[in-house]
Amino acid sequence: MDYERFVEEVQRRAGFEGRDEAERAIAVAARTLGERLLEQEAVAVAGGLPGPVAAAVRGAAYQGDFDRDELYDRIARREGAPRRFGMEHAQAVCQVIGEALPEAERLRLQRHLPDWADLFTPRAAGAPPPRPVHAPAPPEVGHGSTLATGRPGSRHPLSEAHPATAHAGSVARSDEPHAETKLSSSRGLTQERLGDTLAEGRPGPERPVSETQR
């Protein structure tokens, strides 16, 4: 793996926006890794890495057998970044180192640092990298503004809906909208329904017309 591809892989996996950020993380992580390796091991590892990465590993002085938590802390301090960023950058750089090294050198490094062995395990072919901590989280369903993320609508399709579009007294809601005026079912004319016919209405004057004074 050449240096250009090495940088591209780290940039993509760590979610850096620019190349400069990726190169800085590579230099810091490679130097910190070199501080954990004895000189003989550092030379062996550097021999399988691209030039700038190899130089950072070889240029570091051994500083004892610190654990991976210290690895993350050192990288975060040197980058001036939160610890979770230091951890992610270390993991991205170490994984690409594991993929860049010839298999024999990678296995040697993993045997030398058994507690860190999984950091150098190559990513499975075709497996997507985890979402970088730099990337914004996708919106939750019901909180977005697109069809894919927006709040779901009715659980019933339109074909099963029964909208009440008419008011209570509308003929649109009646099974027999013209029942009151059909000859077959009506109760009579309007006057009969209201009790205003000669047969049912209120009587007129008690005195016949013939007795009225003219």
Side-chain angles (χ1 to χ4, degrees), residues 14-29:
F16 291 119
E17 293 184 358
R19 177 187 174 90
D20 291 345
E21 295 174 308
E23 288 189 297
R24 182 167 182 266
I26 291 169
V28 169

Side-chain angles (χ1 to χ4, degrees), residues 154-190:
S154 173
R155 296 178 180 272
H156 301 286
L158 291 176
S159 61
E160 298 178 5
H162 300 284
T165 56
H167 59 77
S170 171
V171 296
R173 299 189 63 179
S174 173
D175 293 334
E176 292 287 342
H178 302 290
E180 292 294 331
T181 58
K182 289 168 59 178
L183 291 176
S184 60
S185 59
S186 66
R187 293 168 46 212
L189 299 177
T190 302

Side-chain angles (χ1 to χ4, degrees), residues 8-198:
E8 289 174 0
E9 288 296 325
V10 171
Q11 181 176 347
R12 181 172 62 88
R13 298 182 196 193
F16 291 119
E17 293 184 358
R19 177 187 174 90
D20 291 345
E21 295 174 308
E23 288 189 297
R24 182 167 182 266
I26 291 169
V28 169
R31 170 191 165 191
T32 308
L33 171 62
E35 293 172 349
R36 180 61 178 79
L37 299 174
L38 296 171
E39 182 178 0
Q40 183 178 0
E41 297 299 330
V43 171
V45 170
L49 296 174
V53 186
V57 173
R58 281 196 307 265
Y62 175 69
Q63 295 187 10
D65 296 344
F66 54 87
D67 60 18
R68 72 163 68 192
D69 285 335
E70 179 63 20
L71 170 71
Y72 301 153
D73 289 340
R74 291 189 184 195
I75 291 175
R77 286 197 303 269
R78 288 166 178 171
E79 290 185 340
R83 187 180 186 278
R84 68 183 186 278
F85 284 8
M87 179 175 67
E88 184 176 76
H89 300 168
Q91 292 171 347
V93 174
C94 287
Q95 187 178 62
V96 178
I97 285 176
E99 294 173 6
L101 287 172
E103 184 177 8
E105 297 304 329
R106 174 176 58 80
L107 294 175
R108 175 176 175 170
L109 176 61
Q110 289 176 313
R111 286 194 299 268
H112 183 69
L113 300 175
D115 294 340
W116 298 16
D118 60 298
L119 293 176
F120 304 104
T121 300
R123 183 166 57 89
R131 184 180 64 83
V133 294
H134 300 278
E140 298 179 3
V141 174
H143 297 278
S145 57
T146 67
L147 289 176
T149 61
R151 189 182 304 279
S154 173
R155 296 178 180 272
H156 301 286
L158 291 176
S159 61
E160 298 178 5
H162 300 284
T165 56
H167 59 77
S170 171
V171 296
R173 299 189 63 179
S174 173
D175 293 334
E176 292 287 342
H178 302 290
E180 292 294 331
T181 58
K182 289 168 59 178
L183 291 176
S184 60
S185 59
S186 66
R187 293 168 46 212
L189 299 177
T190 302
Q191 293 89 341
E192 293 176 348
R193 294 198 302 273
L194 297 178
D196 289 339
T197 64
L198 291 175

